[in-house]
Amino acid sequence: MMIVLVIISILLLIVVPNLTKNQELASNKGCEATIELIKTQVIAYQVEQNELPSSLSKLVSDGYVQSTKCPDGSELILEGDKVKKVD
């Protein structure tokens, strides 16, 4: 019985750090995808309105995007035609 508990404990020690690492990786990929989506919508706004949006809130109010936050809650900002994550 003790051997089974030791084996389960060892497996948990291996699995838990990997789950944490994978969650962080997925969060980063989600933010990268959101940034690319917003960049695309900035271009769509520019094509339709013949000007760059003044801010990301303009994209939200005009219906181009629903949110200007990454899935992890980080805010995004617009600098010219570049979308950047606020650290």
Side-chain angles (χ1 to χ4, degrees):
M1 183 67 153
M2 189 65 149
I3 294 174
V4 171
L5 290 175
V6 169
I7 292 172
I8 290 173
S9 298
I10 291 171
L11 289 174
L12 285 174
L13 287 172
I14 293 170
V15 170
V16 171
N18 286 337
L19 290 176
T20 305
K21 180 181 174 185
N22 289 338
Q23 184 176 5
E24 183 179 322
L25 181 64
S27 178
N28 288 341
K29 292 293 183 184
C31 193
E32 289 173 16
T34 301
I35 289 171
E36 289 301 315
L37 170 76
I38 292 176
K39 283 180 184 178
T40 303
Q41 293 308 98
V42 166
I43 294 168
Y45 182 94
Q46 185 178 17
V47 167
E48 292 178 6
Q49 307 295 327
N50 294 322
E51 65 182 6
L52 285 172
S54 56
S55 67
L56 291 181
S57 61
K58 183 71 174 156
L59 290 177
V60 174
S61 65
D62 288 356
Y64 285 87
V65 295
Q66 293 180 354
S67 175
T68 59
K69 291 184 178 181
C70 286
D72 65 0
S74 301
E75 284 287 334
L76 299 173
I77 59 170
L78 182 65
E79 292 181 358
D81 61 346
K82 307 254 189 274
V83 179
K84 297 182 178 181
K85 183 177 178 181
V86 177
D87 292 323

